[in-house]
Amino acid sequence: MTEIRHNWTVKEILDVYNAPLLDLIFKAQSIHREFNDPNEVQVSSLISIKTGGCAEDCGYCPQSVKYNTGVEAHKLMTLEEVLYAADKAKEGGASRLCMGAAWREVRDNKDFDRVLEMVKGVNAKDMEVCCTLGMLTESQAQKLADAGLYAYNHNLDTSEESYKKIITTRSYDDRLNTIKNVRKAKVSVCSGGIIGLGETIEDRVKMLQTLSSMEIQPESVPINALVPVAGTPLENQPLISVWEMVRMISTTRIVMPKTVVRLSAGRNQMSLEGQALCFLAGANSIFAGDKLLTTPNPAFNEDMEMFKIFGLVPRKAFKGDKKSTEKLQEIESN
Ligand code: SAM
Ligand code: DTB
Ligand code: SF4
């Protein structure tokens, strides 16, 4: 039985990453089969509940106020709009709804109160609710947990060294601190990164080392390929090849055997064969729905067709876990 290690060194992970491709995929798939059902894929749907106008300067992001990308800024969606989107996502086969906001951090105001209502409402539909809202304090994380939040997405994105070249308005420690606050509130952690920012392989590996050495490894790790957006500083970055994606996913699977590895942004540019290799490498989650936050993604029916061809089945909500509603009742009865 493979043990889950929290002491991987950068050198060891680099050796894994650089192994002959077929050896690497074989190893990743073998470990994947030890810990997970290889034909089951968790399907999440993303909605942008608050789009554009973000104060941060993340070099990859079309929603930063610093760049002219043509993304229109919108106010926070209404509760009704979000509940309607949740119904559509559920009908399309999603077991998790991830609500994203172009915020630097959460502020304790009416908008946050509305997000808490959204979390309660989506949770009541028996879907796993995830949010990605920027930085959180401990008490905000706790409020989200009390409302029934299942997971919180907060990416490290790259290594600490390369982070400084991509974002100047916050630090790596800010990121790690929010992840700690999410953990303290006993909300499931979703944290991964982007490849294709101009980082080195060592940067990718260092990010995986930071994630794998956490006391509890993140329950899910999204691996995004940069979607270069016109107007951002990274608009001219070359697209990531499928081989790099496969190496990154395999390595993530090997160092974090149990985590849900999400093949995230970048699928629109990938062939079905390329995606099949990513599933073989141990990816077991996708974002489904024709839009990510602001950029295109394959349509629900195309993905369901892909599942049919590959014989994949969507994972049921709350598998192997108590439903958040039950967790809520527990909290309320204490
Ligand atoms: N504002 C919050 C934050 O930064 O944590 C939440 C939303 S933010 C858009 C969530 C994540 O989307 C980022 O951490 C990054 O990993 C990913 N992302 C943003 N723009 C991207 C792009 N052009 N290509 C790939 N991933 C991107
Ligand atoms: C994650 O790791 N990827 C998603 C989600 N978490 C929030 C976001 C991808 C965004 C891609 C660019 C866009 O559509 O704006
Ligand atoms: Fe804002 Fe998040 Fe985009 Fe950075 S990644 S500019 S914090 S929305």
Side-chain angles (χ1 to χ4, degrees), residues 60-62 101 103 132 134 154-155 157 175 194 224-227 265 293:
Y60 47 74
C61 187
W103 284 332
T132 181
H154 202 65
N155 291 339
D157 281 330
R175 258 356 229 181
I194 309 181
N224 296 275
L226 175 74
V227 182
L293 291 171

Side-chain angles (χ1 to χ4, degrees), residues 3 38 60 102 120 124 174 180 188 208 215 233 277 304 306:
E3 55 157 344
Y60 47 74
K120 277 188 199 150
D174 289 334
K180 274 197 194 120
S188 162
L208 292 180
E215 206 176 303
L277 278 174
M304 290 310 123
M306 172 176 79

Side-chain angles (χ1 to χ4, degrees), residues 52 54-65 67 101-104 134 157 167 170 175 293:
C54 182
E56 301 271 25
D57 67 354
C58 312
Y60 47 74
C61 187
Q63 302 198 68
S64 164
V65 78
Y67 318 127
W103 284 332
R104 175 170 201 274
D157 281 330
I167 299 148
R170 60 164 187 252
R175 258 356 229 181
L293 291 171

Side-chain angles (χ1 to χ4, degrees), residues 148-306:
L149 188 75
Y150 188 82
Y152 196 79
N153 166 248
H154 202 65
N155 291 339
L156 288 182
D157 281 330
T158 184
S159 70
E160 184 165 12
E161 294 83 348
S162 135
Y163 202 76
K164 298 188 188 95
K165 297 182 203 156
I166 306 290
I167 299 148
T168 67
T169 48
R170 60 164 187 252
S171 72
Y172 214 59
D173 276 346
D174 289 334
R175 258 356 229 181
L176 290 167
N177 200 32
T178 292
I179 295 173
K180 274 197 194 120
N181 291 339
V182 172
R183 265 281 167 247
K184 276 188 211 150
K186 299 202 165 48
V187 168
S188 162
V189 170
C190 172
S191 185
I194 309 181
I195 62 172
L197 305 167
E199 75 288 344
T200 62
I201 290 174
E202 193 157 332
D203 288 318
R204 295 176 191 168
V205 160
K206 282 184 172 165
M207 177 186 88
L208 292 180
Q209 202 244 351
T210 306
L211 292 170
S212 65
S213 60
M214 287 177 178
E215 206 176 303
I216 307 174
Q217 294 180 344
E219 283 79 1
S220 73
V221 175
I223 303 296
N224 296 275
L226 175 74
V227 182
V229 177
T232 63
L234 298 179
E235 63 180 338
N236 294 322
Q237 278 297 316
L239 287 181
I240 276 293
S241 78
V242 73
W243 311 121
E244 286 177 277
M245 207 57 185
V246 167
R247 283 193 180 277
M248 188 66 183
I249 288 174
S250 305
T251 310
T252 307
R253 171 54 67 217
I254 291 167
V255 301
M256 289 177 272
K258 246 176 138 167
T259 195
V260 171
V261 179
R262 185 167 305 119
L263 170 58
S264 302
R267 283 198 307 119
N268 218 32
Q269 294 99 273
M270 284 172 89
S271 66
L272 279 192
E273 293 86 339
Q275 294 183 63
L277 278 174
C278 290
F279 294 125
L280 195 61
N284 59 347
S285 172
I286 56 165
F287 282 120
D290 54 8
K291 216 165 163 198
L292 290 165
L293 291 171
T294 65
T295 63
N297 194 45
F300 259 130
N301 54 355
E302 283 174 41
D303 280 337
M304 290 310 123
E305 184 57 30
M306 172 176 79

